[in-house]
Amino acid sequence: METTVQYKELDGISRFMALSCKHICENKKAIMMRTLIFWGAWMGIGLVDGLFSSGDSHGVIDMYIGFSIITWIVFASMVFSSMKTKNGRINTLMTPADNADKYWIAFLNVFVGGFLLIAIAYPMIEIGRNIGSLIMFHEFAGFYWPKDELFSNSWSSTIRNAVIMSFVLSTYFYGAIRWPRLSFLKTSGIWVVVIFVIAMLLGTGVSYMFSHGYEVEWLVSHTVRFWIIVGTIFSGTVFFCWLTYYTLKKQYVIGR
């Protein structure tokens, strides 16, 4: 009761910061261990690349992009892992704080914490690569900035990739609260089914159009089409983020 009163007496920002500190204190060992392992692994990969190459890091960058996307998705699917057990659900749902505070901590963990975890891993690769180059070739390889690989050559490609990634993360974010146990596998299974159905429908539709001589004529420009598609995908991101909050709120009410 005393803790509940203390939380309720705090204003919104203070209450959010108090809950954030509680979350960090309870999980600091796991957070530090996973972060150091992730960064250390990429530094090791960069070290090996520096020892056995003369400076071409494109292969490592491609591997970094692929594994980082998978890591970020898995991280999003585990953000509500504390609710896998009965005691964990009770501890999470009965914490004397607003639903919004709990939600925004999870949201920031996924979309900000996950980004920082992935982003800082790349300098670790370059540090390891330069250490390896100094050991093997006695020369500084320099810091390579993967502009084309990560951000492409155009702003439209960068926006498109960022919006698509945020949408994918939002679906796994929702899956994390919808089914905390085996969330990654369950959400991935749904993705496979959805992609298969869409591919079958599009394939059938396109085949029918070509076989009957139909042609597609766009009524809007390429730029307008781009923003319509980006806006639609971003709307899906907002919807799944809202649905995650709604599901958390609903479970909180049931838990009470």
Side-chain angles (χ1 to χ4, degrees), residues 190-202:
I190 293 176
W191 262 108
V192 170
V193 173
V194 170
I195 292 174
F196 176 78
V197 171
I198 292 176
M200 290 293 295
L201 292 176
L202 286 178

Side-chain angles (χ1 to χ4, degrees), residues 95-139:
T95 299
D98 288 349
N99 297 324
D101 295 333
K102 300 174 185 178
Y103 171 80
W104 283 113
I105 288 176
F107 179 89
L108 293 175
N109 276 338
V110 172
F111 290 92
V112 178
F115 173 78
L116 292 177
L117 177 70
I118 301 302
I120 297 176
Y122 184 75
M124 298 296 105
I125 298 175
E126 290 300 290
I127 292 173
R129 189 169 67 87
N130 279 280
I131 293 174
S133 180
L134 288 172
I135 294 173
M136 182 62 68
F137 303 104
H138 306 290
E139 63 179 11

